[in-house]
Amino acid sequence: MSVLSGKKIILGISGGIAAYKTASLVRLFIKAGAHVQVIMTPASKDFVTPLTLSTLSKNPVYSSFYNEDDQNALWNNHVELGLWADLIVIAPATANTMSKMVNGNCDNLLIATYLSAKCPVYFAPAMDLDMYKHDSTVASFNALRKFGNFIIPAEVGELASGLSGEGRMAEPENIIAFLEADLESKLPLKGKKILITAGPTYEAIDPVRFIGNHSSGKMGFDIATCAAKLGAEVILISGPTHLFIEENSINLIRVVSAEQMFETCHQYYNQVDVAIAAAAVADYKPKNAAHQKIKKSEKELSIELEKTKDILASMGKLKKNQFLIGFALETENEIENAKLKIEKKNLDLIVLNSLRDEGAGFGKPTNKITFISKDLIIEPMELKPKEQVAIDIVNKIISHYGA
């Protein structure tokens, strides 16, 4: 999945011949999963039509502060547009548009939106060779960089004038690659490797029956998705669950039993920076699982159970530099039991759930947690969707590494 997925992008198009490339650029943004809003300068409409871009972006294209053909239409609010965007890409950025950006010459909707924006701004220059090297253009480059904007370097090639040299707008594929590389390099968990366990484990009684629990695995899957979006390489070890995940940076490994989860965790544990034990692992398993289905012949059936291996405790024992996070699901004496678990299992942080809290627990879309650190600092959180809880948990990792 591209780092651009889900991003709200304003594509600003100014009046240069390279504007014809923006149709392909919009298609690539949409293919990457981004939401695109196109803003055109009036001059750019001589090179590419708003109809083409609105069709590709699936949004109306703006080029003025109001619709001159509809006196009852609302104005196009540049402030709202600027605040909506996660990033602005101005391509092509002509010498004229860059000069206006530098000097605040706000005579069109694109410049007004640029001046209102709080997000990162990228610009892809496009002009003839001599214009590109002119002192005034170089001054614009330097000023825009000083303002915190990011230049997508022009390429060398044939220009509209017939000359060949530097000034050709970067190809749409190269603009996408530049944006993805730049955004990925700034992700707070870039370079971190995280192991996450999720879901239940099933302990076989016979080939048909098992001991399990009601865990859906959603909490662990949400944490994995959140961590991956913030740049982490994730190893997600999941017990039986109907959930799926599509993310190139997540290695999903499916297991069934506590023993399989134990072995898989220890296969990767020494390679990771962070381990999060969100799985609801069975504490006991049948001592002797039957090889054939047990027939219903007696009024009572006794099954001898034995403890499963404690995955979290074993990771705590082997811990070197890993940041180790455990989960505790309690029904009584929640805080005290969680504190004991921190010390006993050598944890850095525990995420406490209580089945007594409405909206928390297995099979729910929401969760209500309490963070307890190894220093026994208690931080209760409000009831939230599990996706938001995942963000809170991942933010603890980011804070730990000072990102």
Side-chain angles (χ1 to χ4, degrees):
M1 185 182 294
S2 171
V3 71
L4 296 173
S5 179
K7 295 289 187 186
K8 295 176 287 188
I9 300 174
I10 286 178
L11 174 60
I13 303 174
S14 57
I17 185 63
Y20 81 90
K21 297 181 181 181
T22 57
S24 295
L25 184 56
V26 171
R27 289 185 70 244
L28 290 173
F29 277 138
I30 296 298
K31 186 177 180 180
H35 307 287
V36 182
Q37 177 60 66
V38 176
I39 302 178
M40 305 178 71
T41 65
S44 70
K45 293 189 288 185
D46 293 331
F47 301 96
V48 62
T49 68
L51 178 60
T52 297
L53 298 172
S54 64
T55 302
L56 294 172
S57 68
K58 301 178 178 61
N59 279 316
V61 170
Y62 299 130
S63 60
S64 61
F65 289 99
Y66 61 93
N67 185 350
E68 296 178 358
D69 297 326
D70 185 356
Q71 294 184 352
N72 296 317
L74 296 175
W75 71 305
N76 299 320
N77 190 327
H78 60 279
V79 175
E80 287 185 1
L81 287 166
L83 295 177
W84 172 83
D86 293 317
L87 61 147
I88 292 177
V89 180
I90 299 178
T94 60
N96 183 45
T97 289
M98 288 190 296
S99 178
K100 291 179 180 181
M101 292 165 67
V102 170
N103 294 293
N105 184 3
C106 187
D107 65 350
N108 62 51
L109 181 62
L110 176 58
I111 300 301
T113 302
Y114 162 74
L115 293 173
S116 301
K118 304 296 183 184
C119 63
V121 177
Y122 297 81
F123 63 100
M127 63 201 72
D128 208 71
L129 174 64
D130 293 332
M131 294 175 66
Y132 191 80
K133 293 187 176 296
H134 195 278
D135 287 345
S136 63
T137 305
V138 173
S140 291
F141 291 159
N142 292 334
L144 289 173
R145 286 194 189 100
K146 186 177 179 181
F147 293 164
N149 301 321
F150 304 95
I151 186 170
I152 302 173
E155 298 175 358
V156 175
E158 184 178 352
L159 304 170
S161 65
L163 298 175
S164 183
E166 192 173 15
R168 181 186 179 96
M169 188 180 89
E171 293 301 313
E173 294 83 358
N174 296 336
I175 291 175
I176 296 293
F178 181 95
L179 292 170
E180 288 179 333
D182 190 64
L183 292 173
E184 286 175 359
S185 70
K186 297 168 183 174
L187 293 174
L189 294 178
K190 182 69 174 177
K192 298 300 180 188
K193 198 168 185 178
I194 300 178
L195 184 152
I196 301 170
T197 66
T201 63
Y202 289 173
E203 312 304 324
I205 297 172
D206 62 20
V208 177
R209 306 173 180 90
F210 60 85
I211 297 173
N213 58 62
H214 297 296
S215 173
S216 66
K218 179 171 171 53
M219 190 72 258
F221 274 67
D222 285 342
I223 297 169
T225 300
C226 179
K229 286 182 177 179
L230 293 176
E233 179 184 351
V234 178
I235 301 164
L236 176 59
I237 304 170
S238 174
T241 174
H242 69 282
L243 299 176
F244 290 88
I245 207 158
E246 294 183 3
E247 178 68 55
N248 292 335
S249 55
I250 297 177
N251 177 18
L252 173 58
I253 303 171
R254 295 192 183 274
V255 299
V256 176
S257 67
E259 180 67 26
Q260 291 173 341
M261 187 171 283
F262 180 94
E263 294 297 333
T264 308
C265 283
H266 285 279
Q267 180 181 346
Y268 294 98
Y269 183 59
N270 286 333
Q271 308 171 22
V272 303
D273 304 290
V274 180
I276 305 173
V281 182
D283 294 322
Y284 292 90
K285 66 178 181 178
K287 189 171 184 179
N288 297 297
H291 296 294
Q292 301 295 330
K293 179 182 176 183
I294 299 172
K295 299 297 184 181
K296 186 172 65 174
S297 58
E298 302 293 337
K299 290 184 178 180
E300 296 181 356
L301 175 65
S302 296
I303 301 174
E304 188 177 1
L305 302 178
E306 63 180 357
K307 277 189 175 183
T308 57
K309 294 177 181 177
D310 192 323
I311 299 171
L312 186 55
S314 66
M315 290 195 291
K317 187 175 181 180
L318 296 172
K319 186 172 71 171
K320 295 178 182 177
N321 298 316
Q322 292 93 341
F323 185 61
L324 185 57
I325 302 175
F327 273 66
L329 179 62
E330 303 290 345
T331 59
E332 59 181 352
N333 300 324
E334 292 94 340
I335 298 295
E336 293 307 314
N337 287 334
K339 286 180 178 179
L340 291 173
K341 196 171 185 178
I342 290 174
E343 183 177 353
K344 183 179 179 181
K345 302 190 179 187
N346 193 25
L347 307 181
D348 295 292
L349 181 71
I350 199 162
V351 181
L352 172 63
N353 296 269
S354 173
L355 282 179
R356 297 194 298 177
D357 289 327
E358 186 176 352
F362 293 143
K364 306 284 181 61
T366 56
N367 207 352
K368 187 175 187 298
I369 66 168
T370 297
F371 289 115
I372 306 178
S373 70
K374 66 179 179 181
D375 299 321
L376 303 183
I377 297 173
I378 301 171
E379 185 181 355
M381 309 295 287
E382 296 179 355
L383 182 71
K384 299 180 181 181
K386 284 184 176 177
E387 295 86 351
Q388 293 296 319
V389 175
I391 293 172
D392 291 338
I393 293 169
V394 171
N395 281 338
K396 289 294 183 183
I397 300 170
I398 295 171
S399 296
H400 172 75
Y401 288 104

